[in-house]
PDB file of all heavy atoms in Angstrom:
ATOM      1  N   LEU A 262      18.352   2.831  17.006  1.00 98.00           N
ATOM      2  CA  LEU A 262      17.504   3.889  16.487  1.00 98.00           C
ATOM      3  C   LEU A 262      16.889   3.415  15.170  1.00 98.00           C
ATOM      4  O   LEU A 262      17.606   2.958  14.274  1.00 98.00           O
ATOM      5  CB  LEU A 262      18.313   5.165  16.254  1.00 98.00           C
ATOM      6  CG  LEU A 262      19.077   5.719  17.466  1.00 98.00           C
ATOM      7  CD1 LEU A 262      19.847   6.973  17.064  1.00 98.00           C
ATOM      8  CD2 LEU A 262      18.136   6.016  18.622  1.00 98.00           C
ATOM      9  N   THR A 263      15.584   3.529  15.064  1.00 97.00           N
ATOM     10  CA  THR A 263      14.898   3.071  13.857  1.00 97.00           C
ATOM     11  C   THR A 263      13.965   4.169  13.361  1.00 97.00           C
ATOM     12  O   THR A 263      13.691   5.145  14.048  1.00 97.00           O
ATOM     13  CB  THR A 263      14.062   1.804  14.129  1.00 97.00           C
ATOM     14  OG1 THR A 263      12.926   2.159  14.922  1.00 97.00           O
ATOM     15  CG2 THR A 263      14.883   0.741  14.837  1.00 97.00           C
ATOM     16  N   ASP A 264      13.483   3.995  12.151  1.00 94.00           N
ATOM     17  CA  ASP A 264      12.366   4.806  11.683  1.00 94.00           C
ATOM     18  C   ASP A 264      11.131   4.431  12.500  1.00 94.00           C
ATOM     19  O   ASP A 264      11.115   3.404  13.193  1.00 94.00           O
ATOM     20  CB  ASP A 264      12.122   4.558  10.196  1.00 94.00           C
ATOM     21  CG  ASP A 264      13.157   5.251   9.322  1.00 94.00           C
ATOM     22  OD1 ASP A 264      13.670   6.310   9.752  1.00 94.00           O
ATOM     23  OD2 ASP A 264      13.458   4.735   8.230  1.00 94.00           O
ATOM     24  N   PRO A 265      10.076   5.249  12.435  1.00 91.00           N
ATOM     25  CA  PRO A 265       8.865   4.895  13.165  1.00 91.00           C
ATOM     26  C   PRO A 265       8.395   3.478  12.819  1.00 91.00           C
ATOM     27  O   PRO A 265       8.395   3.086  11.646  1.00 91.00           O
ATOM     28  CB  PRO A 265       7.852   5.944  12.703  1.00 91.00           C
ATOM     29  CG  PRO A 265       8.688   7.121  12.311  1.00 91.00           C
ATOM     30  CD  PRO A 265       9.941   6.539  11.722  1.00 91.00           C
ATOM     31  N   LEU A 266       8.044   2.721  13.835  1.00 93.00           N
ATOM     32  CA  LEU A 266       7.536   1.373  13.619  1.00 93.00           C
ATOM     33  C   LEU A 266       6.099   1.460  13.135  1.00 93.00           C
ATOM     34  O   LEU A 266       5.336   2.326  13.564  1.00 93.00           O
ATOM     35  CB  LEU A 266       7.581   0.576  14.923  1.00 93.00           C
ATOM     36  CG  LEU A 266       8.936   0.443  15.614  1.00 93.00           C
ATOM     37  CD1 LEU A 266       8.788  -0.313  16.932  1.00 93.00           C
ATOM     38  CD2 LEU A 266       9.952  -0.254  14.708  1.00 93.00           C
ATOM     39  N   ASP A 267       5.727   0.566  12.229  1.00 91.00           N
ATOM     40  CA  ASP A 267       4.305   0.507  11.930  1.00 91.00           C
ATOM     41  C   ASP A 267       3.587  -0.093  13.135  1.00 91.00           C
ATOM     42  O   ASP A 267       4.217  -0.621  14.059  1.00 91.00           O
ATOM     43  CB  ASP A 267       4.023  -0.248  10.627  1.00 91.00           C
ATOM     44  CG  ASP A 267       4.311  -1.742  10.697  1.00 91.00           C
ATOM     45  OD1 ASP A 267       4.086  -2.366  11.757  1.00 91.00           O
ATOM     46  OD2 ASP A 267       4.735  -2.300   9.682  1.00 91.00           O
ATOM     47  N   TYR A 268       2.265  -0.001  13.157  1.00 94.00           N
ATOM     48  CA  TYR A 268       1.559  -0.336  14.393  1.00 94.00           C
ATOM     49  C   TYR A 268       1.711  -1.809  14.764  1.00 94.00           C
ATOM     50  O   TYR A 268       1.837  -2.154  15.946  1.00 94.00           O
ATOM     51  CB  TYR A 268       0.079   0.036  14.297  1.00 94.00           C
ATOM     52  CG  TYR A 268      -0.625  -0.093  15.637  1.00 94.00           C
ATOM     53  CD1 TYR A 268      -0.229   0.682  16.721  1.00 94.00           C
ATOM     54  CD2 TYR A 268      -1.671  -0.983  15.818  1.00 94.00           C
ATOM     55  CE1 TYR A 268      -0.857   0.577  17.953  1.00 94.00           C
ATOM     56  CE2 TYR A 268      -2.307  -1.098  17.042  1.00 94.00           C
ATOM     57  CZ  TYR A 268      -1.900  -0.317  18.109  1.00 94.00           C
ATOM     58  OH  TYR A 268      -2.519  -0.431  19.330  1.00 94.00           O
ATOM     59  N   GLY A 269       1.744  -2.683  13.769  1.00 94.00           N
ATOM     60  CA  GLY A 269       1.965  -4.102  14.055  1.00 94.00           C
ATOM     61  C   GLY A 269       3.316  -4.331  14.706  1.00 94.00           C
ATOM     62  O   GLY A 269       3.436  -5.085  15.686  1.00 94.00           O
ATOM     63  N   GLU A 270       4.339  -3.683  14.178  1.00 96.00           N
ATOM     64  CA  GLU A 270       5.674  -3.803  14.771  1.00 96.00           C
ATOM     65  C   GLU A 270       5.705  -3.208  16.171  1.00 96.00           C
ATOM     66  O   GLU A 270       6.361  -3.754  17.072  1.00 96.00           O
ATOM     67  CB  GLU A 270       6.694  -3.087  13.887  1.00 96.00           C
ATOM     68  CG  GLU A 270       6.935  -3.755  12.542  1.00 96.00           C
ATOM     69  CD  GLU A 270       7.823  -2.917  11.642  1.00 96.00           C
ATOM     70  OE1 GLU A 270       7.761  -1.668  11.710  1.00 96.00           O
ATOM     71  OE2 GLU A 270       8.587  -3.512  10.850  1.00 96.00           O
ATOM     72  N   LEU A 271       5.005  -2.100  16.376  1.00 96.00           N
ATOM     73  CA  LEU A 271       4.977  -1.485  17.696  1.00 96.00           C
ATOM     74  C   LEU A 271       4.347  -2.414  18.726  1.00 96.00           C
ATOM     75  O   LEU A 271       4.870  -2.577  19.833  1.00 96.00           O
ATOM     76  CB  LEU A 271       4.207  -0.169  17.642  1.00 96.00           C
ATOM     77  CG  LEU A 271       4.075   0.571  18.977  1.00 96.00           C
ATOM     78  CD1 LEU A 271       5.440   0.999  19.511  1.00 96.00           C
ATOM     79  CD2 LEU A 271       3.154   1.780  18.837  1.00 96.00           C
ATOM     80  N   VAL A 272       3.253  -3.041  18.357  1.00 96.00           N
ATOM     81  CA  VAL A 272       2.614  -3.991  19.278  1.00 96.00           C
ATOM     82  C   VAL A 272       3.559  -5.153  19.566  1.00 96.00           C
ATOM     83  O   VAL A 272       3.685  -5.603  20.717  1.00 96.00           O
ATOM     84  CB  VAL A 272       1.272  -4.481  18.696  1.00 96.00           C
ATOM     85  CG1 VAL A 272       0.688  -5.605  19.566  1.00 96.00           C
ATOM     86  CG2 VAL A 272       0.285  -3.323  18.597  1.00 96.00           C
ATOM     87  N   GLY A 273       4.256  -5.643  18.540  1.00 97.00           N
ATOM     88  CA  GLY A 273       5.241  -6.700  18.755  1.00 97.00           C
ATOM     89  C   GLY A 273       6.359  -6.262  19.670  1.00 97.00           C
ATOM     90  O   GLY A 273       6.816  -7.024  20.537  1.00 97.00           O
ATOM     91  N   ALA A 274       6.805  -5.007  19.508  1.00 98.00           N
ATOM     92  CA  ALA A 274       7.885  -4.486  20.360  1.00 98.00           C
ATOM     93  C   ALA A 274       7.423  -4.327  21.803  1.00 98.00           C
ATOM     94  O   ALA A 274       8.178  -4.624  22.742  1.00 98.00           O
ATOM     95  CB  ALA A 274       8.365  -3.140  19.813  1.00 98.00           C
ATOM     96  N   ILE A 275       6.213  -3.859  22.020  1.00 97.00           N
ATOM     97  CA  ILE A 275       5.696  -3.752  23.390  1.00 97.00           C
ATOM     98  C   ILE A 275       5.692  -5.128  24.053  1.00 97.00           C
ATOM     99  O   ILE A 275       6.113  -5.293  25.198  1.00 97.00           O
ATOM    100  CB  ILE A 275       4.274  -3.157  23.397  1.00 97.00           C
ATOM    101  CG1 ILE A 275       4.286  -1.714  22.882  1.00 97.00           C
ATOM    102  CG2 ILE A 275       3.672  -3.193  24.800  1.00 97.00           C
ATOM    103  CD1 ILE A 275       2.898  -1.138  22.648  1.00 97.00           C
ATOM    104  N   GLY A 276       5.224  -6.119  23.302  1.00 95.00           N
ATOM    105  CA  GLY A 276       5.140  -7.464  23.856  1.00 95.00           C
ATOM    106  C   GLY A 276       6.485  -8.048  24.247  1.00 95.00           C
ATOM    107  O   GLY A 276       6.575  -8.800  25.220  1.00 95.00           O
ATOM    108  N   ARG A 277       7.547  -7.696  23.518  1.00 96.00           N
ATOM    109  CA  ARG A 277       8.872  -8.248  23.792  1.00 96.00           C
ATOM    110  C   ARG A 277       9.703  -7.391  24.744  1.00 96.00           C
ATOM    111  O   ARG A 277      10.718  -7.850  25.267  1.00 96.00           O
ATOM    112  CB  ARG A 277       9.658  -8.419  22.483  1.00 96.00           C
ATOM    113  CG  ARG A 277       9.112  -9.471  21.521  1.00 96.00           C
ATOM    114  CD  ARG A 277       9.156 -10.890  22.076  1.00 96.00           C
ATOM    115  NE  ARG A 277      10.497 -11.315  22.438  1.00 96.00           N
ATOM    116  CZ  ARG A 277      11.382 -11.857  21.596  1.00 96.00           C
ATOM    117  NH1 ARG A 277      11.054 -12.005  20.320  1.00 96.00           N
ATOM    118  NH2 ARG A 277      12.565 -12.241  22.022  1.00 96.00           N
ATOM    119  N   SER A 278       9.304  -6.146  24.951  1.00 98.00           N
ATOM    120  CA  SER A 278      10.111  -5.240  25.763  1.00 98.00           C
ATOM    121  C   SER A 278       9.956  -5.536  27.249  1.00 98.00           C
ATOM    122  O   SER A 278       9.013  -6.206  27.684  1.00 98.00           O
ATOM    123  CB  SER A 278       9.727  -3.784  25.479  1.00 98.00           C
ATOM    124  OG  SER A 278       8.400  -3.537  25.908  1.00 98.00           O
ATOM    125  N   HIS A 279      10.891  -5.002  28.036  1.00 98.00           N
ATOM    126  CA  HIS A 279      10.864  -5.169  29.488  1.00 98.00           C
ATOM    127  C   HIS A 279      10.070  -4.056  30.150  1.00 98.00           C
ATOM    128  O   HIS A 279       9.272  -4.296  31.063  1.00 98.00           O
ATOM    129  CB  HIS A 279      12.295  -5.197  30.035  1.00 98.00           C
ATOM    130  CG  HIS A 279      12.389  -5.554  31.485  1.00 98.00           C
ATOM    131  ND1 HIS A 279      12.117  -6.824  31.947  1.00 98.00           N
ATOM    132  CD2 HIS A 279      12.714  -4.813  32.575  1.00 98.00           C
ATOM    133  CE1 HIS A 279      12.285  -6.854  33.267  1.00 98.00           C
ATOM    134  NE2 HIS A 279      12.634  -5.640  33.667  1.00 98.00           N
ATOM    135  N   LEU A 280      10.271  -2.827  29.695  1.00 97.00           N
ATOM    136  CA  LEU A 280       9.485  -1.689  30.173  1.00 97.00           C
ATOM    137  C   LEU A 280       9.551  -0.585  29.142  1.00 97.00           C
ATOM    138  O   LEU A 280      10.358  -0.634  28.209  1.00 97.00           O
ATOM    139  CB  LEU A 280       9.970  -1.207  31.547  1.00 97.00           C
ATOM    140  CG  LEU A 280      11.397  -0.661  31.679  1.00 97.00           C
ATOM    141  CD1 LEU A 280      11.448   0.842  31.421  1.00 97.00           C
ATOM    142  CD2 LEU A 280      11.931  -0.930  33.079  1.00 97.00           C
ATOM    143  N   LEU A 281       8.686   0.411  29.302  1.00 98.00           N
ATOM    144  CA  LEU A 281       8.598   1.514  28.348  1.00 98.00           C
ATOM    145  C   LEU A 281       8.925   2.835  29.017  1.00 98.00           C
ATOM    146  O   LEU A 281       8.558   3.067  30.176  1.00 98.00           O
ATOM    147  CB  LEU A 281       7.195   1.601  27.745  1.00 98.00           C
ATOM    148  CG  LEU A 281       6.879   0.618  26.607  1.00 98.00           C
ATOM    149  CD1 LEU A 281       6.648  -0.787  27.139  1.00 98.00           C
ATOM    150  CD2 LEU A 281       5.671   1.086  25.808  1.00 98.00           C
ATOM    151  N   LEU A 282       9.630   3.696  28.265  1.00 98.00           N
ATOM    152  CA  LEU A 282       9.869   5.083  28.662  1.00 98.00           C
ATOM    153  C   LEU A 282       9.331   5.950  27.534  1.00 98.00           C
ATOM    154  O   LEU A 282       9.816   5.865  26.397  1.00 98.00           O
ATOM    155  CB  LEU A 282      11.361   5.346  28.868  1.00 98.00           C
ATOM    156  CG  LEU A 282      12.058   4.453  29.907  1.00 98.00           C
ATOM    157  CD1 LEU A 282      12.914   3.402  29.201  1.00 98.00           C
ATOM    158  CD2 LEU A 282      12.917   5.296  30.838  1.00 98.00           C
ATOM    159  N   THR A 283       8.338   6.782  27.817  1.00 97.00           N
ATOM    160  CA  THR A 283       7.643   7.435  26.719  1.00 97.00           C
ATOM    161  C   THR A 283       6.975   8.726  27.155  1.00 97.00           C
ATOM    162  O   THR A 283       6.599   8.883  28.318  1.00 97.00           O
ATOM    163  CB  THR A 283       6.572   6.481  26.139  1.00 97.00           C
ATOM    164  OG1 THR A 283       5.946   7.096  25.013  1.00 97.00           O
ATOM    165  CG2 THR A 283       5.518   6.134  27.172  1.00 97.00           C
ATOM    166  N   ASP A 284       6.835   9.657  26.213  1.00 95.00           N
ATOM    167  CA  ASP A 284       5.986  10.820  26.435  1.00 95.00           C
ATOM    168  C   ASP A 284       4.683  10.697  25.646  1.00 95.00           C
ATOM    169  O   ASP A 284       3.899  11.635  25.562  1.00 95.00           O
ATOM    170  CB  ASP A 284       6.710  12.127  26.103  1.00 95.00           C
ATOM    171  CG  ASP A 284       7.125  12.246  24.643  1.00 95.00           C
ATOM    172  OD1 ASP A 284       6.786  11.354  23.841  1.00 95.00           O
ATOM    173  OD2 ASP A 284       7.816  13.225  24.304  1.00 95.00           O
ATOM    174  N   SER A 285       4.442   9.518  25.077  1.00 90.00           N
ATOM    175  CA  SER A 285       3.230   9.256  24.315  1.00 90.00           C
ATOM    176  C   SER A 285       2.037   9.056  25.238  1.00 90.00           C
ATOM    177  O   SER A 285       2.154   8.434  26.300  1.00 90.00           O
ATOM    178  CB  SER A 285       3.415   8.017  23.444  1.00 90.00           C
ATOM    179  OG  SER A 285       2.170   7.531  22.962  1.00 90.00           O
ATOM    180  N   GLY A 286       0.888   9.553  24.809  1.00 85.00           N
ATOM    181  CA  GLY A 286      -0.325   9.276  25.558  1.00 85.00           C
ATOM    182  C   GLY A 286      -0.833   7.868  25.325  1.00 85.00           C
ATOM    183  O   GLY A 286      -1.184   7.152  26.256  1.00 85.00           O
ATOM    184  N   GLY A 287      -0.843   7.441  24.044  1.00 86.00           N
ATOM    185  CA  GLY A 287      -1.392   6.138  23.712  1.00 86.00           C
ATOM    186  C   GLY A 287      -0.670   4.985  24.376  1.00 86.00           C
ATOM    187  O   GLY A 287      -1.288   4.015  24.826  1.00 86.00           O
ATOM    188  N   LEU A 288       0.650   5.062  24.457  1.00 93.00           N
ATOM    189  CA  LEU A 288       1.407   3.966  25.063  1.00 93.00           C
ATOM    190  C   LEU A 288       1.112   3.819  26.550  1.00 93.00           C
ATOM    191  O   LEU A 288       1.249   2.721  27.098  1.00 93.00           O
ATOM    192  CB  LEU A 288       2.900   4.169  24.830  1.00 93.00           C
ATOM    193  CG  LEU A 288       3.382   3.861  23.412  1.00 93.00           C
ATOM    194  CD1 LEU A 288       4.837   4.265  23.224  1.00 93.00           C
ATOM    195  CD2 LEU A 288       3.216   2.382  23.080  1.00 93.00           C
TER     196      LEU A 288
END
Side-chain angles (χ1 to χ4, degrees):
L262 304 179
T263 71
D264 284 330
L266 303 177
D267 69 36
Y268 189 62
E270 292 173 327
L271 179 63
V272 173
I275 295 171
R277 293 296 302 274
S278 66
H279 188 70
L280 63 89
L281 280 75
L282 302 105
T283 183
D284 62 4
S285 165
L288 285 172

